[in-house]
Amino acid sequence: MDDLVKDFLQESTENLDRLDQEFVQLESDPGNLELLGSIFRTIHTIKGSCGFLGFTKLEKLTHAGENLLSQMRAGELALNQEIADHLLEMVDAVRGVLQEIRTTESEGAEDYLDLIERLKKFLVKGSSPGTKGVSAQIESARAETKPDSSFTSAPSPENEIKKNEIAAAQSQSSEAQDHTETAASSSNAEASRQKKIGKSVVVPGRIGGILVRQGRVRPEEIIRALQMQEAGDPRRLGEILVQLGLITERDITEVLADKRTPDSSEAAIRVDVNLLEKQMNLVSELVLLRNRLLQIATETNERNLNAAVHGLNYVTSELRKNVMKTRMQPISQLFDKLPRIVRDVSKDLGKKIKLETQGGDTELDKTLLEAIKDPVMHILRNSMDHGVEAPQVRSQKGKPEEGTIRIRAFHEGGNFHLEITDDGAGIDPDRVKQKALGKGLITSAQAEKMAETDLLNLIFLPGLSTAEKVTNVSGRGVGMDVVKTNVERIGGLTKLKSDRNRGTTVWLEIPLTLATIPALTVISGKSVFAIPQAALVEMIAVDADDVHKFIEKIDGVSIFRFRGTVLPLMSLAEELKIQGSVSSGISKIVVVRTEGRQIALLVDAIRNTEEIVIKPLDKRFKTVALYSGAAVLGDGRVALILDIAAFAHRAGVVSARREDSAATADSQPRERLTLLLLSGSDGERLAVPLDFVQRLEEFSPSDKELMGGLDVVQYRNEILRMVRLEDLLENRRARPRNPQNPYASAPAEKISAIVVRSKGPRNVILEVTRILGIVKVEIDQMTPPSRPCVRGSLVIQDRVTELLDMPALLAKSQAVQLDSPLLVPSGTEAHHVS
Amino acid sequence: MSAKHRYSTFFLNGICFGVPVEKVQEVLEFQHITPVPLAPPVLPGIINLRGQILTTFDLKTRLNLSSSESAGEPMMMVIQTSEGPMNLVVDKIGPVLDVETDLFERPTETLKPSVRAVTTHVCKLDNQLLLVLDTEKIVRLPDDEDAADVRPDAAMQSAVH
């Protein structure tokens, strides 16, 4: 159904309810012009909307009422009971038509001409009310017994809602009520009039009405059954109908089931958003109190208390769920506004743009819906303005003249996702780079190292977006930082992907609700801080002994080596100048991500994870700009919520590896690898995926010991097997070596080695000739391997490099270890063993 | 007979200040303030008042008074502002006083500018002066707070006594 019609229905229904009251009030106080004015306006509004929406019958009906009211307002006509009756009848008739529209989307067959005529007769120009009164009464009585009119009037929603509740709770008694009511209302005009004033009349939602509407029985048959009831048949209407063989039991059950699911617009009530807001806050408080109680209950271990608290726990969770549900709104509320904007803007720009939306029924918390409104508009305008090209440009490029913008909403992973795709020109990363360089946002050294996706993400930087020129040049960027900030403020993520000439996609990922979010709480000094779980990647504890291997300082900047990536490391205590920070020897590092970038945060301790309610922080703290809010924790303590994006900016992270960047969503089957480059004994290049490398170490030759004929080293309280990489690889040239002293050819004082992660019980130390460095490569093509334990060859830094097949290599080393305990001293050709 | 106004009073460095009693939500014993690192000193942090997060103002810092003289545990006064409740840290809570409008005087020029800026009027009581503060102005932080006022605290002392 059209939203306009829906709104009209809801609004009118509400207005009609008020009319009922006002008419009754007016009857006891006929001189109340204010009341009369209000009634007049209500009817007038409905009439106006009807004309607008094309409901001509309804318009005529309300028009008749309006004329009467108009005369009354002018003092030409005095309200008497008869007129009131008729006006109320009109209200009921309007209600009936509204119900008809609601169910069938049309006004229905009844045109109420009779009623309109009667209403007209009351007008002062017409015959005297005295003589007319009688005939009107008769006509009215006739109208009442006519099935259509008696089934299409509706009671006030209060009654209806109450009845629905009752219906749900005690269906039996409700049914009985339905039937008697139907019977009563059709009995005579007087009774029906009284009932109307008392606001309880027959409704089409009642069983007889439904049966007629669904075409299961003819109206006359209902009347017959009703007459039987009037004649004293104590049975219910349904029973009579079944007994008459007009319907089956199944009809009844189906109809009753139908009846109990009330029409959404009828059962809906309008609630002030502020009230909902308050309710939500209270529920949030309740959740916190429950959390505290749970903690206390766990500590005291009192059985009764525990039981009560668990009950409370359940109820609170349910309550929270329900309250949150009341706030959910379909995204179509936003979508519905977009076609108009697209139409207007594309006309202004002289472009042809088609908008496609998908997933309009996806629901989102109301406040979040409001919060993403502006960002979405922004992205959409950007797409139209800078993304989609002018028609002639498009046809030159071989694209259809009409550009398409697709907006798709969906739920995934407990989050709300919005995807805005255009098939426009895309963003030129080079231009973004030039602009960023020009603005001094990045250094040229940084720019060199930046991947394309990182360059694109520069458009989210504030400096880049505020400048008008960038908009014109880079094709995008107006307020993209605002988009990002707004989305991150509500705990969401913004991602962007762009292909030159193929288009741009912006993703928004937003939590379903702001009510509570899971968060990790950490400690620095005496303070507790919360990190939203969504930003959390990993927590790592590093032993004091190993700190130097994981953490390095380069030019005063701390770097954390993590799974082959290098992340900027920030100490929370240092950044926030927190006094009394204690490091317990083991460094606790929390790896977090924002905008696809990762940073490492050094904290004193990790506390736990808990559900927190985000409370906005006073704007006076905005100057600090490192917190996204505050939260009251389960124990009553207050924690500041860290704004991870702000920390990333503070860290000056412009480029870092993007684990989940838009690039991974790319359909191209490229493999991105970080490789450790090695030099073989012959100077050949070898590469090991860094994922397999745990540490790089140096040993002195004297560290090497023999155990069961195998080379081992003592390493971190473990005895690890040491294998020469050379020995695991088949060397075609088989350069002669001295088997007695295999290291004679390697007179180096240090042995370079890699500690390799192994799936087996022990890691393996791989002795290598030389470590050259680390490179990041995108592998799209590889020459097939020329020897075992090699995945293939590729060109890295202009050199042919063999990429080692680590699983195979490890398997081979394990085989050496397990199957050949009596292997001749190391240095023997390993491939003999395999 | 002139109209009476009712003020909730408190002390900072022995000086009596007051705010309209209807602006005071409640008075609290000093409780733990969760510091907000890197925030200006006038905002020592936030407190949890029955689940509500309140911004806390160090009123002495706000008025540029020296912070040396606080004897014993400070107190907290939660005031209602257009931005919602705010928490003020004060030395001591005084009585609620009824003051006739006759006793109102405009803040003198001799008051410290930082104090005068937020004072609506001065009431001359029998044995002391009562400085009535504008709650809205207290919580509005001037951007150039530090630059504006360099007068030593002593001047303030002599001015009000």
Side-chain angles (χ1 to χ4, degrees):
Chain A
M1 197 186 291
D2 194 343
D3 271 354
L4 273 174
V5 176
K6 255 191 218 162
D7 285 351
F8 163 69
L9 285 177
Q10 182 152 8
E11 221 172 84
S12 303
T13 311
E14 279 170 20
N15 285 337
L16 289 174
D17 300 339
R18 213 180 52 234
L19 272 188
D20 275 338
Q21 291 171 11
E22 285 176 346
F23 269 125
V24 175
Q25 229 180 312
L26 191 67
E27 253 182 329
S28 58
D29 182 12
N32 192 333
L33 286 177
E34 208 181 285
L35 214 51
L36 195 55
S38 164
I39 293 172
F40 178 78
R41 278 192 301 275
T42 308
I43 296 287
H44 184 76
T45 308
I46 296 175
K47 191 194 87 172
S49 310
C50 288
F52 180 66
L53 294 168
F55 296 130
T56 48
K57 283 175 194 163
L58 202 51
E59 193 186 5
K60 274 186 200 144
L61 185 61
T62 43
H63 182 71
E66 194 195 358
N67 283 344
L68 260 184
L69 286 162
S70 166
Q71 285 198 345
M72 274 188 244
R73 220 159 56 126
E76 294 164 15
L77 187 70
L79 181 80
N80 58 28
Q81 165 139 27
E82 214 183 340
I83 296 177
D85 284 349
H86 276 81
L87 286 171
L88 277 172
E89 200 185 330
M90 181 208 66
V91 171
D92 287 345
V94 170
R95 221 181 243 133
V97 179
L98 291 180
Q99 178 63 30
E100 190 70 30
I101 294 169
R102 191 174 288 137
T103 48
T104 66
E105 299 196 21
S106 77
E107 286 173 285
E110 178 64 53
D111 52 17
Y112 301 99
L113 284 178
D114 165 65
L115 177 61
I116 292 169
E117 273 314 301
R118 279 184 285 134
L119 284 167
K120 276 185 186 162
K121 282 180 191 156
F122 284 110
L123 292 170
V124 275
K125 268 162 82 187
S127 56
S128 90
T131 51
K132 233 195 57 45
V134 182
S135 64
Q137 224 169 17
I138 297 161
E139 272 171 20
S140 141
R142 203 189 303 142
E144 289 300 331
T145 38
K146 266 172 75 178
D148 275 353
S149 65
S150 67
F151 287 124
T152 43
S153 49
S156 70
E158 301 100 274
N159 279 353
E160 179 62 4
I161 286 166
K162 256 184 234 148
K163 276 172 194 157
N164 283 329
E165 278 168 12
I166 295 164
Q170 332 160 282
S171 57
Q172 287 304 324
S173 68
S174 165
E175 280 163 36
Q177 191 187 0
D178 292 349
H179 300 199
T180 43
E181 234 184 277
T182 317
S185 65
S186 60
S187 59
N188 62 64
E190 190 52 44
S192 119
R193 196 179 300 130
Q194 272 170 4
K195 272 197 164 271
K196 246 180 277 168
I197 293 165
K199 289 192 293 167
S200 83
V201 277
V202 210
V203 270
R206 296 283 166 265
I207 188 159
I210 297 172
L211 286 169
V212 172
R213 204 186 71 224
Q214 294 181 346
R216 291 181 202 252
V217 277
R218 277 175 294 144
E220 307 90 84
E221 288 160 356
I222 298 281
I223 298 297
R224 203 171 121 210
L226 286 173
Q227 278 161 356
M228 284 172 74
Q229 274 191 333
E230 280 165 52
D233 195 326
R235 289 172 303 174
R236 287 187 261 149
L237 186 68
E239 287 168 350
I240 297 173
L241 290 170
V242 172
Q243 195 250 317
L244 291 173
L246 298 166
I247 51 168
T248 62
E249 291 277 1
R250 221 180 92 237
D251 284 325
I252 300 268
T253 12
E254 278 173 21
V255 167
L256 287 178
D258 241 26
K259 199 157 69 69
R260 270 179 218 116
T261 49
D263 191 296
S264 65
S265 66
E266 202 171 79
I269 51 165
R270 287 196 180 182
V271 181
D272 188 354
V273 176
N274 290 327
L275 196 64
L276 273 185
E277 211 69 42
K278 211 166 169 182
Q279 200 178 1
M280 193 68 221
N281 282 338
L282 286 173
V283 169
S284 302
E285 301 303 338
L286 189 63
V287 169
L288 293 174
L289 281 174
R290 174 202 66 184
N291 291 352
R292 283 189 75 172
L293 263 182
L294 276 174
Q295 264 182 13
I296 294 168
T298 319
E299 281 160 19
T300 53
N301 207 16
E302 175 88 37
R303 200 144 59 101
N304 287 339
L305 179 65
N306 264 319
V309 167
H310 276 103
L312 179 71
N313 186 15
Y314 171 75
V315 174
T316 312
S317 304
E318 285 299 302
L319 183 63
R320 203 184 95 189
K321 246 193 270 169
N322 276 302
V323 171
M324 285 204 294
K325 247 193 217 155
T326 62
R327 298 164 51 92
M328 298 302 259
Q329 302 280 321
I331 188 76
S332 58
Q333 287 196 357
L334 175 58
F335 282 2
D336 291 348
K337 298 191 172 77
L338 303 180
R340 177 72 197 274
I341 292 168
V342 170
R343 186 193 147 274
D344 290 356
V345 173
S346 51
K347 218 171 122 195
D348 281 355
L349 296 167
K351 294 178 182 175
K352 290 182 185 167
I353 301 170
K354 181 172 67 183
L355 178 75
E356 289 176 5
T357 57
Q358 202 186 330
D361 54 353
T362 315
E363 287 188 326
L364 185 64
D365 187 285
K366 188 172 170 56
T367 44
L368 294 177
L369 189 70
E370 288 297 316
I372 63 162
K373 220 165 169 175
D374 284 348
V376 169
M377 296 284 181
H378 227 115
I379 296 166
L380 187 65
R381 278 176 207 277
N382 264 341
S383 282
M384 288 188 283
D385 195 358
H386 312 298
V388 176
E389 313 90 328
Q392 60 271 28
V393 179
R394 288 183 67 89
S395 48
Q396 274 167 25
K397 286 180 178 174
K399 295 184 191 181
E401 279 195 6
E402 189 179 46
T404 308
I405 297 177
R406 278 190 193 87
I407 305 188
R408 193 161 77 94
F410 56 98
H411 284 153
E412 193 183 284
N415 284 337
F416 174 87
H417 294 247
L418 198 70
E419 195 181 277
I420 302 166
T421 309
D422 67 58
D423 61 351
I427 305 169
D428 184 351
D430 286 334
R431 289 217 172 133
V432 178
K433 180 160 82 180
Q434 292 313 318
K435 221 54 225 181
L437 282 172
K439 292 261 159 203
L441 294 170
I442 51 167
T443 64
S444 48
Q446 279 176 318
E448 280 309 304
K449 278 186 246 153
M450 285 172 82
E452 202 168 280
T453 42
D454 296 331
L455 283 171
L456 289 181
N457 276 296
L458 286 176
I459 73 164
F460 288 119
L461 289 183
L464 212 111
S465 54
T466 46
E468 286 296 307
K469 264 166 81 190
V470 182
T471 319
N472 304 334
V473 179
S474 70
R476 212 171 272 240
V478 188
M480 283 307 270
D481 67 313
V482 180
V483 168
K484 200 203 70 176
T485 326
N486 281 345
V487 170
E488 279 183 6
R489 189 172 295 146
I490 53 172
L493 288 172
T494 321
K495 289 189 239 167
L496 181 134
K497 191 192 108 182
S498 183
D499 283 326
R500 287 291 282 150
N501 288 326
R502 298 233 317 258
T504 304
T505 302
V506 182
W507 284 275
L508 305 181
E509 187 179 337
I510 288 151
L512 286 184
T513 171
L514 270 188
T516 55
I517 58 158
L520 177 77
T521 51
V522 298
I523 292 173
S524 186
K526 285 194 176 103
S527 300
V528 184
F529 296 93
I531 298 169
Q533 197 98 57
L536 198 62
V537 178
E538 197 157 356
M539 294 175 268
I540 301 126
V542 180
D543 282 350
D545 306 346
D546 292 337
V547 162
H548 64 281
K549 288 169 198 138
F550 285 93
I551 300 170
E552 267 177 53
K553 277 211 163 186
I554 300 168
D555 300 333
V557 176
S558 293
I559 298 265
F560 177 57
R561 295 184 180 281
F562 172 60
R563 300 265 162 82
T565 61
V566 173
L567 304 178
L569 176 73
M570 302 173 91
S571 156
L572 208 54
E574 271 175 43
E575 293 299 327
L576 299 178
K577 300 195 171 58
I578 293 170
Q579 306 294 314
S581 164
V582 283
S583 55
S584 57
I586 297 170
S587 305
K588 269 84 166 198
I589 289 162
V590 181
V591 178
V592 290
R593 65 165 175 203
T594 174
E595 310 155 45
R597 292 167 190 150
Q598 296 190 352
I599 56 171
L601 288 175
L602 180 65
V603 299
D604 287 359
I606 286 161
R607 210 163 155 261
N608 58 359
T609 57
E610 57 181 275
E611 290 271 310
I612 58 167
V613 179
I614 301 177
K615 307 249 170 176
L617 208 52
D618 196 319
K619 63 172 193 280
R620 291 171 187 78
F621 295 113
K622 288 278 152 66
T623 47
V624 185
L626 286 174
Y627 318 109
S628 54
V632 179
L633 303 177
D635 61 359
R637 288 179 79 170
V638 180
L640 289 164
I641 302 162
L642 299 181
D643 182 345
I644 298 305
F647 269 87
H649 279 295
R650 200 178 168 92
V653 199
V654 182
S655 177
R657 183 158 142 182
R658 297 170 50 83
E659 294 284 355
D660 55 351
S661 72
T664 51
D666 202 324
S667 53
Q668 287 165 320
R670 285 188 159 191
E671 191 182 358
R672 278 187 109 188
L673 276 181
T674 309
L675 301 174
L676 182 69
L677 279 185
L678 309 168
S679 168
S681 56
D682 288 344
E684 79 270 26
R685 290 278 186 120
L686 303 168
V688 177
L690 208 51
D691 297 347
F692 288 93
V693 178
Q694 188 160 37
R695 280 177 207 91
L696 304 182
E697 291 288 351
E698 282 186 332
F699 295 96
S700 104
S702 60
D703 289 338
K704 218 191 245 193
E705 295 173 60
L706 277 175
M707 185 181 80
L710 297 172
D711 280 332
V712 291
V713 286
Q714 296 175 33
Y715 182 71
R716 302 189 53 194
N717 304 326
E718 269 190 298
I719 300 168
L720 293 188
R721 170 99 161 94
M722 192 179 221
V723 189
R724 277 175 54 117
L725 178 60
E726 286 299 296
D727 298 343
L728 294 177
L729 290 170
E730 281 179 39
N731 200 328
R732 290 261 163 79
R733 254 197 282 170
R735 217 161 44 113
R737 272 196 293 247
N738 182 348
Q740 262 69 48
N741 185 0
Y743 300 105
S745 59
E749 295 199 347
K750 293 277 181 191
I751 300 170
S752 298
I754 312 168
V755 181
V756 181
R757 261 178 239 281
S758 151
K759 276 188 190 150
R762 292 278 155 93
N763 289 339
V764 175
I765 297 179
L766 213 54
E767 187 185 329
V768 298
T769 313
R770 229 179 106 210
I771 295 169
L772 298 171
I774 293 173
V775 287
K776 258 190 249 181
V777 289
E778 277 189 7
I779 301 173
D780 37 10
Q781 252 192 329
M782 225 177 343
T783 319
S786 56
R787 50 178 171 171
C789 299
V790 171
R791 274 177 67 188
S793 310
L794 63 161
V795 176
I796 298 172
Q797 295 172 349
D798 299 329
R799 293 281 305 269
V800 174
T801 307
E802 282 178 300
L803 180 61
L804 299 181
D805 183 350
M806 290 312 283
L809 213 58
L810 277 171
K812 198 160 172 181
S813 75
Q814 300 287 358
V816 170
Q817 192 167 359
L818 297 173
D819 303 344
S820 318
L822 296 174
L823 191 74
V824 284
S826 66
T828 327
E829 299 302 323
H831 57 263
H832 290 174
V833 179
S834 57
Chain B
M1 188 168 159
S2 63
K4 277 194 172 181
H5 288 255
R6 195 165 263 212
Y7 296 108
S8 210
T9 64
F10 55 86
F11 293 88
L12 298 172
N13 292 356
I15 308 162
C16 186
F17 291 91
V19 289
V21 79
E22 64 274 11
K23 298 280 184 196
V24 178
Q25 178 181 310
E26 59 192 296
V27 168
L28 304 171
E29 303 232 335
F30 189 82
Q31 57 162 290
H32 174 72
I33 300 174
T34 302
V36 176
L38 306 184
V42 63
L43 302 172
I46 49 184
I47 64 158
N48 166 20
L49 180 65
R50 298 184 295 272
Q52 203 176 3
I53 306 273
L54 298 190
T55 303
T56 301
F57 290 77
D58 182 349
L59 202 52
K60 276 199 261 185
T61 312
R62 172 70 186 89
L63 299 179
N64 212 0
L65 305 176
S66 73
S67 55
S68 54
E69 280 185 47
S70 54
E73 188 96 307
M75 294 288 284
M76 289 175 168
M77 182 180 265
V78 180
I79 55 167
Q80 294 282 7
T81 75
S82 55
E83 293 174 72
M86 297 282 174
N87 182 31
L88 307 177
V89 177
V90 299
D91 285 352
K92 209 173 88 183
I93 298 294
V96 173
L97 295 178
D98 287 322
V99 182
E100 291 182 12
T101 38
D102 296 355
L103 300 172
F104 284 12
E105 275 176 30
R106 286 180 53 193
T108 52
E109 295 293 317
T110 46
L111 279 177
K112 253 171 104 103
S114 56
V115 177
R116 203 175 66 229
V118 297
T119 304
T120 52
H121 52 264
V122 178
C123 305
K124 268 194 184 150
L125 304 180
D126 293 343
N127 49 358
Q128 65 186 341
L129 278 183
L130 169 66
L131 301 181
V132 177
L133 301 182
D134 182 328
T135 48
E136 291 297 321
K137 283 184 183 160
I138 294 173
V139 297
R140 205 179 305 140
L141 297 182
D143 295 331
D144 50 355
E145 193 182 354
D146 301 333
D149 195 351
V150 286
R151 229 188 285 193
D153 205 32
M156 165 76 195
Q157 298 287 326
S158 60
V160 292
H161 283 125

